[in-house]
Amino acid sequence: MGKYHGESEERMRSIFEEAKKNAPSVIFIDEIDSIAPKRDEVSGEVEKRVVSQLLTLMDGLNSRGKVVVIAATNRPDSIDGALRRPGRFDREMEIGIPDKKGRYDILRIHTQGMPMEESVDLDYISKVTHGFVGADLQALSKEAAMGALRRIIPEVDLEQDRIPSDTLQKIRITSEDFREALREVRPSALREVLVQVPDVSWDDVGGLAQLKTELQESIEWPLKHTKAFKFVGAEPPHGILLHGPPGTGKTLIAKALAHETNSNFISIKGPALLSKWVGESEKGVREIFRKARQAAPCVIFFDEIDSLTPARGTDTGTHVTENVVSQILSEMDGLEELHDVVVVAATNRPDMIDSALLRPGRFDKVIEVPNPDANGRRQILQIHTKKKPLENIDLEQLVKDTDGFAGADLYSICNAAAMSALRRHVHDNDDVQNILITQKDLTDAIMIHKERLNFESKPKNFA
Ligand code: ADP
């Protein structure tokens, strides 16, 4: 797109025109975040116009037409939200880092046709290439091949413009070449700590009024009223530990905190920290904090922190996790002076947490995030039905019926109810304006959800 900046819109129109003319066709937009960033966050008029043009063009596509638009990005959260609505990009697929089997398949593809010695064990290579993505594996295969080429170069008479075929025949890629290549090529997953800009505000978090106030005072104030804070000699917390059942909004709160303090957001899942940086988790921790300082003000969110810090005395506590924890603690100590990097951790197993984490100067603010009470459920239901077409709904009944539900459960039933209404619409082929979510859609969704929860025997108490 860069090439056509001045005329990007025109160019886009003609691409869509051409695709329609040649249908069936697929339009592939790579790195869509660069042409369709969030409109309220870019200053340039050109970018804004490009986003609107893209929206118009996608809306203009006939749903039964034979043009499909596929876009790719590694920063889904920086894309303008309007593009992610139904009728536009309405399917989202995350293409994760390949697992061992995936890496094996990718290696097979990239070594196809390469003259390899039999001793080269792709199975073994796929085992030791944790965190490598497709491009890294391709680079690895190329690098190994280059190694083999380098070996024969001394035999080649560079005066001649062709390499004799018997010399070529001799090229063999060995497992030693792969070992050498592994030294050169590092996994990109390790290089990359994803910095996001969440757009969740306090209004998107239902209930938990006291918790919001507490966080506003202890985190927002030190950032916004630094002088006053210093003046009265108040000490903001170093780290915050949120604990409570799954799906009660811990992640949501951390994101809202980042958004409300205009901070960047780095989210790390404990188990991923161990597996992604296999053998190098401490380096991972350093990298995370380095990125956070660079991106300050920044909120670092460690989800499922219990996986990193099994309570002492259990034998699951290998020295790997211990080292990771001490690394986190020493990084947090280093933050002492600067309160523009805030560390938030979450767990649903507070009993599993190493008490060393809870000492003063560390995660010294521990906040419980319980399942919502009636008031909280009312607010959460309102949040998740706000943008949905509702018939007359008896909200109070729904609040009563969902005793014991977490926020994530409420989100899920609102969605399920909307799907039921949609199914009816598709079946009757009715006008879009007439789609309405009924009380029955919601109560049915609640019933089904309760059955599922019981089936999964979640430890919840339903009335
Ligand atoms: P946790 O981190 O506690 O496991 P999440 O924050 O990931 O839970 O919650 C998952 C989803 O459930 C959220 O994205 C949101 O849609 C919904 N949700 C959970 N709690 C709330 C809440 N208090 N208010 C509004 N939505 C909520």
Side-chain angles (χ1 to χ4, degrees):
M1 271 289 158
K3 248 194 300 183
Y4 306 101
H5 224 70
E7 44 190 275
S8 324
E9 294 153 277
E10 181 50 43
R11 171 88 184 136
M12 241 174 357
R13 276 195 296 273
S14 75
I15 291 173
F16 273 73
E17 263 321 301
E18 212 180 315
K20 270 190 212 159
K21 244 186 263 156
N22 296 304
S25 49
V26 173
I27 302 177
F28 180 68
I29 310 177
D30 202 3
E31 297 184 37
I32 186 154
D33 47 284
S34 64
I35 61 161
K38 290 212 164 85
R39 273 170 296 180
D40 42 10
E41 280 164 24
V42 296
S43 46
E45 275 310 306
V46 179
E47 279 92 330
K48 283 184 195 160
R49 286 209 320 261
V50 170
V51 182
S52 329
Q53 180 67 65
L54 187 56
L55 291 175
T56 316
L57 286 168
M58 290 196 69
D59 289 344
L61 289 176
N62 185 335
S63 61
R64 277 177 221 285
K66 296 214 161 66
V67 178
V68 177
V69 188
I70 300 178
T73 178
N74 48 10
R75 299 165 57 213
D77 286 308
S78 28
I79 294 169
D80 192 71
L83 275 170
R84 301 172 78 175
R85 298 225 184 95
R88 291 162 184 172
F89 290 106
D90 36 16
R91 286 277 178 291
E92 299 196 6
M93 277 182 241
E94 185 185 354
I95 304 188
I97 301 170
D99 59 4
K100 180 177 167 287
K101 159 119 195 0
R103 294 195 296 273
Y104 180 75
D105 292 343
I106 296 170
L107 279 168
R108 282 269 310 268
I109 292 170
H110 287 295
T111 53
Q112 220 169 37
M114 283 188 182
M116 290 202 295
E117 260 185 1
E118 289 219 343
S119 63
V120 175
D121 185 355
L122 290 187
D123 197 58
Y124 172 76
I125 298 172
S126 56
K127 213 182 279 171
V128 297
T129 41
H130 237 290
F132 280 63
V133 298
D136 301 330
L137 294 167
Q138 183 184 21
L140 184 76
S141 314
K142 264 199 196 143
E143 191 56 39
M146 285 305 292
L149 267 180
R150 267 180 226 121
R151 249 195 324 278
I152 64 139
I153 290 231
E155 295 175 32
V156 177
D157 182 358
L158 293 174
E159 300 289 287
Q160 283 182 336
D161 43 346
R162 279 200 307 150
I163 304 177
S165 69
D166 55 343
T167 314
L168 279 180
Q169 290 297 330
K170 270 201 282 187
I171 302 181
R172 280 280 173 279
I173 300 164
T174 65
S175 37
E176 188 53 37
D177 291 327
F178 272 97
R179 206 161 322 159
E180 280 300 322
L182 272 170
R183 265 184 240 260
E184 297 289 329
V185 183
R186 300 306 301 151
S188 20
L190 199 153
R191 290 196 294 265
E192 188 179 305
V193 175
L194 200 62
V195 181
Q196 304 168 294
V197 187
D199 56 2
V200 176
S201 72
W202 286 130
D203 291 341
D204 297 314
V205 182
L208 307 168
Q210 195 193 335
L211 176 150
K212 286 188 212 170
T213 316
E214 216 169 319
L215 286 178
Q216 269 159 353
E217 287 181 2
S218 58
I219 304 297
E220 282 189 43
W221 287 6
L223 282 169
K224 288 184 177 161
H225 311 284
T226 319
K227 263 198 192 148
F229 232 80
K230 281 211 178 110
F231 187 70
V232 297
E235 179 75 21
H238 289 82
I240 297 157
L241 178 66
L242 303 172
H243 68 92
T248 45
K250 297 182 289 298
T251 310
L252 204 64
I253 291 163
K255 284 187 176 165
L257 193 60
H259 177 83
E260 298 285 347
T261 52
N262 294 322
S263 299
N264 286 308
F265 185 69
I266 294 179
S267 167
I268 311 286
K269 275 202 193 320
L273 183 60
L274 295 179
S275 63
K276 202 160 147 185
W277 278 281
V278 73
E280 297 193 285
S281 310
E282 292 157 74
K283 207 162 146 192
V285 172
R286 278 202 296 277
E287 178 67 14
I288 290 162
F289 278 85
R290 193 180 64 82
K291 261 277 167 63
R293 280 191 298 267
Q294 261 175 14
C298 185
V299 171
I300 308 180
F301 179 59
F302 287 105
D303 201 3
E304 301 175 43
I305 186 111
D306 44 285
S307 64
L308 294 180
T309 69
R312 296 250 158 91
T314 56
D315 12 291
T316 40
T318 61
H319 67 274
V320 176
T321 56
E322 250 166 57
N323 290 347
V324 172
V325 171
S326 17
Q327 189 64 44
I328 294 180
L329 292 179
S330 76
E331 292 285 351
M332 284 176 73
D333 286 344
L335 294 176
E336 215 159 1
E337 287 304 308
L338 287 161
H339 291 296
D340 52 2
V341 174
V342 176
V343 185
V344 182
T347 177
N348 38 36
R349 298 290 314 271
D351 55 308
M352 290 274 289
I353 295 285
D354 190 331
S355 56
L357 279 185
L358 302 177
R359 272 192 228 131
R362 296 176 173 175
F363 288 94
D364 41 14
K365 192 159 197 73
V366 179
I367 304 181
E368 191 190 354
V369 189
N371 272 339
D373 57 9
N375 199 15
R377 293 199 301 281
R378 186 177 308 115
Q379 285 183 21
I380 298 174
L381 282 166
Q382 276 165 343
I383 289 171
H384 291 297
T385 51
K386 199 167 53 192
K387 290 184 188 144
K388 294 186 166 68
L390 294 183
E391 212 180 50
N392 273 336
I393 295 290
D394 180 356
L395 188 62
E396 288 317 304
Q397 189 58 45
L398 298 175
V399 170
K400 262 193 216 132
D401 289 348
T402 49
D403 191 20
F405 274 42
D409 300 325
L410 296 170
Y411 165 76
S412 156
I413 60 148
C414 292
N415 224 26
M419 284 306 293
S420 307
L422 187 62
R423 256 177 238 124
R424 240 187 345 266
H425 158 77
V426 172
H427 186 259
D428 303 345
N429 208 1
D430 202 3
D431 214 358
V432 176
Q433 270 74 30
N434 296 337
I435 306 181
L436 277 181
I437 300 172
T438 63
Q439 182 85 5
K440 186 167 182 310
D441 288 328
L442 283 155
T443 46
D444 284 356
I446 293 172
M447 285 295 293
I448 293 170
H449 199 75
K450 275 189 185 169
E451 271 163 32
R452 224 185 65 217
L453 291 179
N454 282 337
F455 182 70
E456 289 167 4
S457 66
K458 263 202 192 170
K460 284 190 175 152
N461 302 318
F462 293 114

